[in-house]
Amino acid sequence: MAADRENPEISDDELLDVADNPAQARELRRALRTLANSDAVGDTLQRMARDVLAGRVGMRDVVQSDTYLGAIGDRLGQIRTAAENLSPAEQKASEGRAEKLREETEAEYGPDEPEEWELNRNRF
């Protein structure tokens, strides 16, 4: 979904109410674009992403919506089932893709800083 005059897209700044920082807002917007353009995620998630990007629905509304959270949960369940059913060769290839993505992300944005809850978890 390209931002243009007919389909204006929200800015990263408009996601800062749910993101911890500008980099996280940028990643959230990128993830929303991926969802908006992927038929594989289903109509509900695709429509949600398009509505958020267009400014018709806020992310706070999404995280408070049983409909959207249910769709996200369903999709995560499908992803988990698919991951559990990977052959050893497919699992190794998937891990390689994940490592490459992590390296590319760190090269672009720097190393991932631990979240506050991760820091607190290690104290006990």
Side-chain angles (χ1 to χ4, degrees):
M1 171 189 277
D4 59 30
R5 284 182 217 154
E6 291 180 31
N7 297 312
E9 189 174 284
I10 62 170
S11 69
D12 294 347
D13 291 344
E14 293 174 271
L15 294 170
L16 286 172
D17 64 330
V18 294
D20 291 333
N21 55 58
Q24 193 177 67
R26 182 174 48 250
E27 284 302 307
L28 176 56
R29 192 157 61 99
R30 190 173 109 184
L32 288 166
R33 280 190 193 129
T34 299
L35 289 173
N37 293 315
S38 176
D39 293 333
V41 300
D43 291 339
T44 302
L45 290 180
Q46 199 172 32
R47 184 175 49 253
M48 177 271 303
R50 289 176 179 164
D51 285 348
V52 171
L53 287 169
R56 292 187 292 269
V57 173
M59 279 305 300
R60 288 211 184 272
D61 297 325
V62 168
V63 298
Q64 294 174 351
S65 165
D66 290 338
T67 300
Y68 292 138
L69 289 181
I72 292 167
D74 290 346
R75 185 64 183 143
L76 288 175
Q78 293 167 1
I79 291 168
R80 181 178 182 180
T81 299
E84 290 171 349
N85 292 317
L86 291 176
S87 70
E90 291 170 324
Q91 186 174 7
K92 186 172 180 155
S94 178
E95 289 168 358
R97 288 188 304 273
E99 179 64 20
K100 182 179 177 187
L101 178 61
R102 184 191 62 76
E103 290 170 356
E104 290 171 353
T105 301
E106 281 189 359
E108 185 173 351
Y109 301 110
D112 189 26
E113 297 294 325
E115 298 290 334
E116 184 66 30
W117 66 267
E118 292 173 302
L119 295 172
N120 291 334
R121 178 181 64 182
N122 295 327
R123 290 183 187 166
F124 301 104

